[in-house]
Amino acid sequence: MSKLPLTIEELQEQAPAIFTQEKHSQTSNMYHFVSSIDVVNEIKSHNWHPVSVQQSSVKDEDKEGYQRHVVRFRHFDDLLSPKENAVELLLFNSHDRSTAFSISAGIFRFVCSNGLVIADSVFESYKIKHIGDRTNDIHTAIDKITSFKPQLEHKINTFGALKLTTGEKEAFAKSCLSLRFSKHLEIDHKDLLIPHRDEDEKDDLYTTLNVIQENLLSGNVSGVNKETGRRFTSRAISSINKDKDINQGLWDIAERISSIKEPSMALAA
């Protein structure tokens, strides 16, 4: 994650698929091509700048340059005056039908370089199918998420003010196991609560959310395969879709905990 906006050259080097200017040959005539770099430039015109980019690997070489990719944007205000947490825009797209174009909200936490994606229960990702003229939809998506930024910052503060008991933290961790691990994999849920830095030795909901997220995504969680009896250690998540699904699931569970602990603080969807 860059502290400064990525240049065109850096975007090109890290995710060439962003610059593809045609749809894959296997897509139908109904498939409307959406140029990622055009959308990137449109988002930049609204004072959001790209700070991170990733594209999926492909098994079929024919789809190289058309694969799924994600670009994360941070607002000029947060680049100028960095805070502990920054709201981001996330652009998801592909040119081979594997991913519909969408813009989502997310959070970047500077203390551990973790990125959280907001669950649909808080903010529904603005999905734009690759069919028809969608210029106005892109503008609407950007405006809608931008207007959501203050509410999301308030939600972060709300989570940070809610203290969890040991039992509540363990229940949170246990609920998150299925986001990453299948039922035949036995994991000690308490391992998801092990912090990796002094700053995370806290009992609030937001810190607990981030500790669990880091352990789920970064790997190195040990367990036993109940079907084979073999021990295993999880690897870091590299899939764009899996990363997004886990993050959204984590935020959704945190939302439910917040609603239980302080119903009056629940943010209306």
Side-chain angles (χ1 to χ4, degrees):
M1 184 71 67
S2 175
K3 294 182 180 179
L4 296 174
L6 296 176
T7 64
I8 291 295
E9 292 75 20
E10 289 172 326
L11 289 172
Q12 175 77 61
E13 179 183 357
Q14 297 177 37
I18 294 174
F19 294 84
T20 297
Q21 290 298 317
E22 61 182 4
K23 61 185 181 181
H24 192 270
S25 59
Q26 294 180 2
T27 58
S28 69
N29 293 331
M30 291 292 295
Y31 182 94
H32 180 73
F33 175 80
V34 177
S35 168
S36 293
I37 190 58
D38 288 350
V39 178
V40 167
N41 289 330
E42 177 64 32
I43 293 175
K44 286 172 64 177
S45 72
H46 288 72
N47 289 325
W48 292 83
H49 299 272
V51 291
S52 176
V53 64
Q54 180 185 356
Q55 71 176 29
S56 299
S57 57
V58 294
K59 295 181 180 179
D60 183 355
E61 293 184 1
D62 181 57
K63 292 191 175 182
E64 186 67 52
Y66 300 90
Q67 67 263 52
R68 182 183 298 112
H69 45 275
V70 57
V71 187
R72 303 183 72 123
F73 300 82
R74 199 169 304 149
H75 196 272
F76 181 83
D77 291 346
D78 294 317
L79 291 170
L80 183 63
S81 302
K83 304 174 184 177
E84 183 178 352
N85 302 287
V87 176
E88 296 181 335
L89 298 185
L90 291 86
L91 163 65
F92 295 90
N93 198 17
S94 72
H95 307 305
D96 61 359
R97 298 181 303 180
S98 61
T99 299
F101 167 75
S102 68
I103 299 178
S104 302
I107 299 171
F108 181 78
R109 184 172 180 245
F110 289 93
V111 69
C112 57
S113 299
N114 281 354
L116 292 171
V117 178
I118 306 310
D120 291 345
S121 60
V122 182
F123 182 84
E124 184 173 358
S125 298
Y126 204 98
K127 295 182 179 179
I128 301 175
K129 296 180 179 179
H130 294 247
I131 300 175
D133 183 5
R134 299 291 170 176
T135 302
N136 290 331
D137 282 346
I138 294 172
H139 296 169
T140 301
I142 296 171
D143 291 342
K144 187 175 181 180
I145 295 181
T146 300
S147 66
F148 185 75
K149 185 173 182 286
Q151 292 175 283
L152 190 49
E153 290 172 335
H154 174 72
K155 176 56 67 174
I156 295 171
N157 293 332
T158 297
F159 282 8
L162 290 176
K163 302 300 180 183
L164 302 182
T165 65
T166 299
E168 289 168 341
K169 291 172 66 174
E170 290 185 9
F172 188 2
K174 189 179 298 183
S175 297
C176 295
L177 285 175
S178 61
L179 298 174
R180 170 77 198 266
F181 302 104
S182 301
K183 291 183 178 180
H184 69 281
L185 301 178
E186 188 175 80
I187 306 293
D188 185 348
H189 62 275
K190 295 180 183 179
D191 289 347
L192 299 183
L193 296 170
I194 299 175
H196 295 278
R197 56 190 60 78
D198 292 341
E199 295 91 332
D200 288 338
E201 296 281 356
K202 301 177 183 177
D203 295 321
D204 64 272
L205 176 57
Y206 188 63
T207 301
T208 303
L209 165 63
N210 279 274
V211 170
I212 294 174
Q213 183 229 29
E214 183 171 9
N215 285 316
L216 284 177
L217 294 180
S218 63
N220 292 320
V221 175
S222 298
V224 177
N225 186 321
K226 292 186 289 186
E227 295 179 351
T228 64
R230 295 181 178 178
R231 295 196 61 81
F232 71 92
T233 300
S234 64
R235 298 180 180 179
I237 294 293
S238 58
S239 165
I240 293 175
N241 271 9
K242 188 64 176 177
D243 183 290
K244 181 180 179 181
D245 289 344
I246 290 175
N247 276 311
Q248 288 183 326
L250 281 166
W251 189 270
D252 187 61
I253 295 172
E255 271 291 316
R256 280 181 272 160
I257 293 174
S258 176
S259 297
I260 294 170
K261 296 279 289 184
E262 293 288 347
S264 62
M265 290 186 180
L267 176 64

